[in-house]
Structures are given as C-alpha cells and as structure tokens.
C-alpha cells in the first residue's frame, strides 16, 4: 500500500490549506483531486488516496474543513457552511499543485464521495479538466448549503466528461439527474449499483483511463 503524507499549503489570501498526498511508486499516469466525505478526512478516504496512488495516479486530497474529522451534529453544521466559491478555490489550489508536479490539465481529474461527490460535479461544471467521477452525492434537487447549487441546476453546464455512481436503491432524484445531464455538451453517464462493489471501482478507474490519456 502506498504511504500518504499530509502537508500544509500557503494560499495567496493568507489562509493555509491542509492536503493529503499520495504518490505512485511507478510512472505517473495523471493526477486526481480526491474530495472527502461529510465526516472529513477519514481513514477510509486516506485508504482511497493510497489505493489510487497504487494505480499510478498522483493524488492530492484537500481538507475541506478546518478540522480533519467531525462527528455527530457537527457534521450537519459543517456541511451547511460549505461555500461554492471557497471549495472551488481549494480545488484550484490542488490543480495548481498537480501542475507544478508536471501534470497537464487534460490529465487532471477529480473524484468525490458523499459531499465530495457533490463538489466534484460542481467542479466538473466549472473547470476544464480531463474527467470527473461522483459517487453517492447528496444535494441533487435541493442544495446542500446556501453556498452550493443543486446538482440538477449545473448538470447542463458540465465542461468535462463526468460519471455519476449511485446505489440501486436511490430515489428518482438520480433519474432526474440523469435526464438533466443529457443536455450537457460533454460525455456523461449515470450508473446505479452497489457502490461498494468491485464493479464500481473498476468503472471509476476505466472512466479516468478513457478520458485522461
């Protein structure tokens, strides 16, 4: 398993952004920004960073909260404070870092889970990169916070190939999202199955392989 490390990046506005980084031991095939779940930078997210790095991707995962982990009622409080502008600023910092490591924009991607999946789709509708993958994103019809759009409202604005992965038992919200992305001018797909399955993992990796060459 690839070892990860955490660094602090200084931003131009005076803030500092903590990031977790995973570097492949072999040749770098591209770079991925990993966006964490509602509970923050969990052990599972760090394992994902390590696993993707083992597949040959240079990984940077920005810590979207001021704390690495949140619990209980604090989760809802942190999610309600999410700002689209700040999240895009943080992901832009991650993309700049990847560029500094020699990764070109067409070989940069973003993948997010839970609230990170929501942010990944917002990024995919706002930035020109290689590809994006969203897994189990809330906020499809109703925004997660006052500072974020509902996903159906940005679905038609996708500027890079986007894949959405959702559970089989998800409500018709996912069907509405699928209908909405049809109007986008880039490749997109919505698939539904057990998101913990090997198939879901393979779908995500294949999506990046297909669109980030």
């Amino acid at each position: 398993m690839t070892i990860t490390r955490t660094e602090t990046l200084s931003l131009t506005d005076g803030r500092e952004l903590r990031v977790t980084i995973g570097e492949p031991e072999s040749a770098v095939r591209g770079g991925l920004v990993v966006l964490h779940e509602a509970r923050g930078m969990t052990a599972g997210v760090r394992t994902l960073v390590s696993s993707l790095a083992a597949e040959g991707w240079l990984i940077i995962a920005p810590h979207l909260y001021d704390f690495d982990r949140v619990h209980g009622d604090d989760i809802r409080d942190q999610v309600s404070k999410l700002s689209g502008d700040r999240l895009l600023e943080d992901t832009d910092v991650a993309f700049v870092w990847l560029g500094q490591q020699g990764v070109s924009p067409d070989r940069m991607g973003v993948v997010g889970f839970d609230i990170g999946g929501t942010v990944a789709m917002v990024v995919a509708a706002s930035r020109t990169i290689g590809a994006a993958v969203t897994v189990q994103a809330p906020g499809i019809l109703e925004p997660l916070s006052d500072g974020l759009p509902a996903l159906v409202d940005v679905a038609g604005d996708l500027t890079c190939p986007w894949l959405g992965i959702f559970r089989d038992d998800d409500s018709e919200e996912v069907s509405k999202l699928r209908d909405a992305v049809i109007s986008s001018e880039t490749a997109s797909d919505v698939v539904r199955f057990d998101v913990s399955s090997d198939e879901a993992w393979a779908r995500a990796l294949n999506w990046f392989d297909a669109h980030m060459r």
Side-chain angles (χ1 to χ4, degrees):
M1 187 71 71
T2 304
I3 297 175
T4 64
R5 68 179 190 274
T6 298
E7 296 184 359
T8 300
L9 305 180
S10 297
L11 310 187
T12 56
D13 63 1
R15 290 192 298 120
E16 292 184 334
L17 177 66
R18 284 168 57 79
V19 296
T20 293
I21 293 169
E23 295 186 86
E25 296 178 357
S26 56
V28 174
R29 37 198 316 195
L32 296 178
V33 175
V34 172
L35 301 173
H36 62 67
E37 59 175 294
R39 294 177 299 165
M41 190 59 63
T42 63
V45 176
R46 295 180 190 277
T47 297
L48 174 66
V49 169
S50 180
S51 298
L52 287 169
E55 294 286 339
W57 299 99
L58 177 60
I59 307 300
I60 178 169
H63 298 206
L64 304 178
Y65 299 152
D66 293 330
F67 306 97
D68 285 353
R69 291 289 307 277
V70 293
H71 307 273
D73 293 339
D74 290 339
I75 296 175
R76 181 176 298 179
D77 182 58
Q78 287 293 326
V79 171
S80 69
K81 294 177 180 177
L82 291 175
S83 161
D85 289 341
R86 175 166 171 177
L87 291 170
L88 287 174
E89 290 172 2
D90 289 350
T91 53
D92 282 347
V93 168
F95 290 133
V96 168
W97 184 88
L98 287 173
Q100 292 172 341
Q101 314 312 308
V103 180
S104 59
D106 61 329
R107 292 194 303 123
M108 295 180 189
V110 60
V111 56
F113 300 79
D114 187 46
I115 64 162
T118 305
V119 178
M121 189 171 186
V122 173
V123 171
S126 308
R127 300 292 185 263
T128 302
I129 54 176
V133 173
T134 285
V135 183
Q136 280 304 110
I140 294 176
L141 301 183
E142 297 293 333
L144 279 182
S145 72
D146 291 340
L148 284 172
L151 294 186
V152 291
D153 292 337
V154 299
D157 300 327
L158 292 171
T159 55
C160 72
W162 173 82
L163 171 66
I165 299 175
F166 296 88
R167 291 193 184 96
D168 275 334
D169 59 356
D170 274 340
S171 69
E172 63 181 61
E173 288 188 356
V174 177
S175 296
K176 292 181 179 179
L177 182 61
R178 176 188 281 123
D179 292 340
V181 299
I182 292 175
S183 62
S184 69
E185 298 181 356
T186 187
S188 62
D189 194 12
V190 175
V191 295
R192 300 170 72 164
F193 46 75
D194 181 358
V195 295
S196 65
S197 70
D198 291 340
E199 183 182 359
W201 172 254
R203 284 286 191 111
L205 292 179
N206 289 341
W207 188 260
F208 288 126
D209 284 339
H211 297 286
M212 293 166 54
R213 294 180 176 179

